[in-house]
Amino acid sequence: MVPHAEHFGDEASRQDAAHMGMWIFLATEVLLFAALFAAYSLYRLAYPEVFSQAREHMDLALGTINTYVLVSSSVLVALAIASIRKGRDLAAGVLLAGAVLLGITFLCIKGMEYAHHAKDKALPGAHYAYDKFAVPGASLYFTLYWIMTGIHAVHVTVGIGVLSVLCGQALSGKFSAAYHTPVELGGMYWHLVDIVWLFLWPLLYLA
């Protein structure tokens, strides 16, 4: 049985309000990452050669694998939403579980990258001591790298938590073809996390 709050009107009105709230929240997230991308662009203008050479010190293979992992997870979430709209809650739960596993895989691969950078002492700020890339501006690049990917990783972690809860609720039969707004909202958040990475990947590994 779907919980109702009468002062919010009918179910359609509640769904519209929930989606509007999520869009506003996502807009604030976009502003956050837009500020980070703007900072990266400004410093890249200041150190164009250094930022261009920095990609040679990134693990393109792991970054690319992670891109496929995260895009695949978004596909599973989209399929989960399509399934729950048809009332197939079990299929939706299984698909969400797959997305959660892929999200965890993303974090594990990212952790491997972080370990490599830490071993090379390509650390942020005053901790930077990577002797193979000891040029002015290099520490700034890796500082931005750690901040941008670190904040993104936090968002991935939050998304995994959200999808895990939704997965459990779907498998327990909480959602139906008539009521599945939380799944749609969780999917919107996860797609944003995916889109942000699709900007980070070429910026940090390819450009």
Side-chain angles (χ1 to χ4, degrees), residues 178-195:
Y179 174 69
H180 50 265
T181 302
V183 180
E184 292 182 341
L185 300 181
M188 291 169 65
Y189 179 83
W190 191 254
H191 292 322
L192 174 70
V193 170
D194 186 15
I195 291 171

Side-chain angles (χ1 to χ4, degrees), residues 1-2 9 24-25 42 86 95 102 116 137 148 150 160-161 178 202 206:
M1 186 67 180
V2 180
I24 293 173
F25 170 72
L42 289 174
K86 297 176 182 176
L95 289 165
L102 288 175
H116 293 164
M148 296 170 80
I160 289 172
L206 303 176

Side-chain angles (χ1 to χ4, degrees), residues 12 26 28 30 70 74 86 125 148 155 157 169-170 175 182 189 201:
L26 294 182
T28 64
V30 169
L70 210 52
S74 256
K86 297 176 182 176
M148 296 170 80
H155 281 71
T157 303
Q169 292 176 333
F175 304 122
Y189 179 83
W201 174 58

Side-chain angles (χ1 to χ4, degrees), residues 37-66:
F37 284 121
Y40 178 93
S41 300
L42 289 174
Y43 285 115
R44 187 183 178 103
L45 288 175
Y47 300 96
E49 294 297 327
V50 175
F51 274 51
S52 179
Q53 295 171 9
R55 71 175 187 274
E56 299 173 7
H57 300 277
M58 304 299 292
D59 196 323
L60 178 59
L62 291 182
T64 303
I65 291 171
N66 251 353

Side-chain angles (χ1 to χ4, degrees), residues 83-176:
S83 295
I84 203 66
R85 284 173 176 168
K86 297 176 182 176
R88 300 169 55 196
D89 50 353
L90 178 59
V94 171
L95 289 165
L96 289 172
V100 168
L101 290 176
L102 288 175
I104 294 172
T105 300
F106 176 91
L107 290 179
C108 290
I109 293 174
K110 198 66 212 163
M112 291 170 59
E113 274 196 88
Y114 283 154
H116 293 164
H117 292 313
K119 182 180 180 182
D120 293 335
K121 298 182 179 179
L123 298 169
H127 302 288
Y128 185 84
Y130 186 22
D131 53 6
K132 292 184 179 178
F133 194 43
V135 296
S139 64
L140 188 54
Y141 172 86
F142 275 98
T143 298
L144 287 168
Y145 162 78
W146 280 92
I147 292 174
M148 296 170 80
T149 60
I151 292 176
H152 178 263
V154 170
H155 281 71
V156 173
T157 303
V158 172
I160 289 172
V162 170
L163 293 182
S164 297
V165 172
L166 292 172
C167 173
Q169 292 176 333
L171 293 175
S172 65
K174 179 176 181 179
F175 304 122
S176 65

